[in-house]
Amino acid sequence: MSINQLDLHGIRHSEVDRLVENFVLLNDTPMRIITGNSDRMTELVLTVLHRHNINYERFKPGQIIILGG
């Protein structure tokens, strides 16, 4: 089974909301979002996930996993 992945390295903070929202709403789980070590990037991603009541796990620093339900 492959995992859909969105790597946010090099993406501007102003673009994160739209990119993450489209990614999580248009793809099947499981998904991985790579935020890197940026606390701000992680915060922006989590804002989108909370807005859509999407469950996630943070197994490793710098990435968020959406397993589905």
Side-chain angles (χ1 to χ4, degrees):
M1 166 174 49
S2 66
I3 185 167
N4 292 309
Q5 181 168 294
L6 176 63
D7 188 342
L8 296 175
H9 285 102
I11 302 298
R12 295 180 184 273
H13 288 161
S14 62
E15 299 173 26
V16 171
D17 191 279
R18 179 184 52 81
L19 286 172
V20 171
E21 187 169 69
N22 285 340
F23 179 72
V24 297
L25 295 178
L26 298 175
N27 289 286
D28 293 326
T29 56
M31 292 180 249
R32 176 183 298 124
I33 301 174
I34 299 173
T35 61
N37 293 326
S38 168
D39 291 337
R40 179 67 180 140
M41 189 69 78
T42 300
E43 179 182 307
L44 292 168
V45 171
L46 294 180
T47 297
V48 174
L49 299 181
H50 292 156
R51 181 169 60 232
H52 291 284
N53 296 314
I54 295 172
N55 295 320
Y56 61 89
E57 296 288 339
R58 295 175 67 189
F59 297 114
K60 296 180 182 178
Q63 62 180 285
I64 299 167
I65 305 295
I66 299 151
L67 298 173

